[in-house]
Amino acid sequence: GTTDIDYLIPRKPLMVGEEKISELLVANGYEPKNKSLSTPAVQSFIKQIEEIEIEVEFLTDNKSRNQEDVVEIKNAGINAQALSYIEMSLQEATPLTLPNGAVISVVKPEAWVFHKGLTFTKRTTKVKKYKDLYGIWFVLTQLNEVSFAVQKSLPKLMNKNPDSWTKTFKENLKTWIDSATPQDWDFLERQDVGGKLTKADFITIIGRLHILN
């Protein structure tokens, strides 16, 4: 589980609201926090709800000549982290109706898996890297009919995107599996508090994606 909420936002929002996103968050009790000394700074919005700290961050694509790490989206009043491959997640979204009737867009699970496979090698901490690997296994195996649907739709999604993306996705996972030590597997298996994740199970599901042949 996580108490972080990542919002994906285009560099140029489709429409400008009467209030900036930053103003709406502050009005609802979120406090802005700069997480770096850069200009613009990496930014998040934090709110304490009972004993849980909720942290909201914004992500956008890095498809720019300048290759910025952080993009100031003035119309929204926020700074968004620029990440590789995020444009796919912006495109591959599906509507979700919340209990209060509000409709939001969420990243399709197959796009989430694809993105994690493309980027987990860039993680700067071991914990986050193994959390991503665990998430890939979890979405592919533990969500019943959703997992079966993801296994079928992921290859189609790969075909829709550049061949280099699919090559990177497969090489990242294959390289990690081939080089993982017993300690690495132990650390990965311990990410699953239910005890279902095993080395054999992980290799099997990745093999179904035709990555290991």
Side-chain angles (χ1 to χ4, degrees):
T2 179
T3 58
D4 295 347
I5 302 174
D6 292 329
Y7 283 94
L8 311 187
I9 186 168
R11 286 170 175 262
K12 294 182 179 180
L14 298 178
M15 58 184 297
V16 179
E18 294 180 0
E19 291 184 86
K20 294 181 178 180
I21 294 175
S22 57
E23 296 171 349
L24 290 170
L25 286 167
V26 170
N28 281 277
Y30 288 84
E31 296 183 5
K33 175 183 177 182
N34 288 343
K35 302 176 66 175
S36 74
L37 299 177
S38 60
T39 304
V42 176
Q43 186 183 55
S44 66
F45 292 82
I46 296 175
K47 181 177 181 178
Q48 193 77 23
I49 301 179
E50 297 180 353
E51 297 181 356
I52 300 175
E53 183 180 83
I54 304 297
E55 183 172 18
V56 173
E57 294 184 307
F58 294 86
L59 309 176
T60 194
D61 69 82
N62 68 351
K63 293 180 65 178
S64 168
R65 293 179 181 178
N66 299 326
Q67 291 291 295
E68 312 102 312
D69 292 327
V70 183
V71 178
E72 183 180 5
I73 301 180
K74 295 181 180 180
N75 289 343
I78 58 171
N79 299 338
Q81 293 186 58
L83 299 180
S84 301
Y85 311 110
I86 282 293
E87 61 269 26
M88 172 185 64
S89 297
L90 281 164
Q91 296 167 359
E92 298 294 332
T94 188
L96 176 69
T97 303
L98 300 178
N100 65 359
V103 179
I104 63 172
S105 293
V106 296
V107 178
K108 292 180 180 178
E110 58 268 28
W112 188 90
V113 168
F114 197 10
H115 188 265
K116 290 298 181 184
L118 286 165
T119 59
F120 77 91
T121 57
K122 299 180 181 181
R123 289 292 204 177
T124 56
T125 66
K126 181 178 179 180
V127 171
K128 289 185 177 181
K129 179 184 292 186
Y130 284 77
K131 182 181 176 183
D132 286 350
L133 288 166
Y134 164 68
I136 290 171
W137 168 84
F138 186 90
V139 174
L140 286 171
T141 64
Q142 300 300 299
L143 298 176
N144 302 314
E145 66 274 6
V146 172
S147 292
F148 289 116
V150 171
Q151 291 177 36
K152 290 183 178 180
S153 57
L154 183 55
K156 298 177 183 178
L157 179 60
M158 290 179 182
N159 289 334
K160 286 176 59 177
N161 286 280
D163 291 342
S164 59
W165 291 21
T166 298
K167 182 179 179 182
T168 299
F169 176 83
K170 291 183 175 183
E171 287 182 349
N172 284 352
L173 288 166
K174 187 176 187 304
T175 299
W176 185 86
I177 289 172
D178 290 345
S179 62
T181 66
Q183 290 75 22
D184 290 327
W185 285 111
D186 179 64
F187 194 85
L188 177 59
E189 290 171 358
R190 284 191 280 117
Q191 302 304 305
D192 179 28
V193 295
K196 295 181 180 179
L197 173 55
T198 64
K199 175 181 177 180
D201 193 32
F202 188 90
I203 291 175
T204 296
I205 192 59
I206 297 303
R208 288 181 190 172
L209 302 176
H210 304 290
I211 289 174
L212 304 180
N213 52 13

